[in-house]
Amino acid sequence: MPQSRWDAVDRYIGDRLLPFDSVLDEALRANAQAGLPPHDVSPAQGKLLNLLVSMSGARRILEIGTLGGYSTIWLGRALPESGCLITLEADPHHANIARTNIARAGLASRVDLIEGAALETLPKLTFEQPFDFVFIDADKPSNPQYLAWALKLSRPGTVIVADNVVRDGALADDHSPDPKVRGVRQFFDAMAANPRLEATAIQTVGTKGYDGFAIAIVGG
Ligand code: SAH
Ligand code: DHB
Ligand code: MG
């Protein structure tokens, strides 16, 4: 099945289920204009994240990998007024664009963007309340460490979602030399080995090609 078909179905889904939204559209436009890599989740995927936050009743969200804040806006919009979202971004240029997009979305009071390499900023969060929802979407080789941090910063019932775990099917290649694939495979091994986690992964096709999400819930 060709990419054009996946695009057509994403257009169909968007036309029916994703009302026109100038704030989200403007964020994507601003990100492209600023030369950010086109790694934002798709609109339908953003809505999925938004629904997962609503379904889980999450009030405190941790996002690792902000880019221009497109996924941040989808996640943050599902929070109650008193909720909060901390998002981590290493690249100062990405962080600047994201701050503007997040403010334009009216989420500046609920979103805290922490600039810096996530493995250096995550230790500062151990003094915070545990998170209810963690979205892992930064440098893929660090996924195993991000999972360990997500667990450290979680409570029983915390939902963990990771983006880009299928990578055109390379996930199934046990000899892949690609550090991103290796990172994601180690992330799967770590989930499998952890008796506190119940997890699955779902392959996706759409405007972002062939990829997938992993989703896990932390047990007691
Ligand atoms: N979640 C975004 C996409 C994130 S793309 C969305 O869907 O809209 C991945 C982001 O992770 C990039 O902006 C990249 O700069 C950032 N990143 C890469 N390495 C990082 C690190 N070590 N710490 C924090 N962010 C990192
Ligand atoms: C990559 C990262 C992403 O977050 C994404 O959505 C797509 C690709 C990457 O690093 O290759
Ligand atoms: Mg991603």
Side-chain angles (χ1 to χ4, degrees):
M1 214 52 100
Q3 180 65 50
S4 61
R5 191 81 171 154
W6 303 343
D7 289 339
V9 172
D10 257 350
R11 263 197 309 279
Y12 175 91
I13 293 167
D15 286 347
R16 295 299 181 292
L17 304 178
L18 308 176
F20 173 76
D21 191 309
S22 60
V23 165
L24 286 165
D25 268 27
E26 188 50 43
L28 286 183
R29 204 175 7 253
N31 295 352
Q33 173 103 28
L36 270 49
H39 290 165
D40 332 75
V41 290
S42 73
Q45 292 172 342
K47 180 81 177 268
L48 172 68
L49 295 173
N50 178 279
L51 293 174
L52 289 172
V53 171
S54 291
M55 288 169 183
S56 65
R59 307 176 71 83
R60 295 178 46 77
I61 301 174
L62 171 63
E63 176 179 60
I64 308 177
T66 318
L67 189 63
Y70 184 73
S71 55
T72 317
I73 296 171
W74 276 112
L75 291 163
R77 278 182 172 180
L79 282 172
E81 200 62 55
S82 63
C84 79
L85 186 161
I86 295 180
T87 184
L88 311 181
E89 175 54 53
D91 185 314
H93 179 51
H94 298 182
N96 272 335
I97 304 291
R99 280 194 203 91
T100 305
N101 287 329
I102 290 162
R104 200 190 291 114
L107 289 168
S109 63
R110 264 175 281 177
V111 174
D112 191 1
L113 192 162
I114 303 180
E115 219 176 286
L119 289 176
E120 280 161 34
T121 55
L122 280 161
K124 299 179 187 167
L125 303 181
T126 44
F127 303 101
E128 301 265 349
Q129 297 279 104
F131 292 93
D132 308 313
F133 192 100
V134 182
F135 181 47
I136 300 174
D137 192 19
D139 51 317
K140 312 311 172 190
S142 301
N143 267 27
Q145 288 100 302
Y146 295 151
L147 178 67
W149 274 106
L151 284 162
K152 208 183 304 236
L153 301 171
S154 71
R155 53 150 178 94
T158 294
V159 173
I160 300 172
V161 176
D163 193 20
N164 313 115
V165 300
V166 174
R167 316 201 65 83
D168 274 316
L171 177 64
D173 179 3
D174 55 2
H175 294 304
S176 174
D178 180 343
K180 295 181 182 184
V181 174
R182 297 173 77 95
V184 171
R185 286 177 60 96
Q186 287 162 11
F187 169 79
F188 271 76
D189 289 341
M191 288 195 296
N194 193 318
R196 279 179 74 206
L197 284 175
E198 281 298 332
T200 189
I202 291 294
Q203 308 181 64
T204 58
V205 294
T207 56
K208 295 287 155 172
Y210 170 33
D211 215 325
F213 289 104
I215 181 164
I217 187 162
V218 179

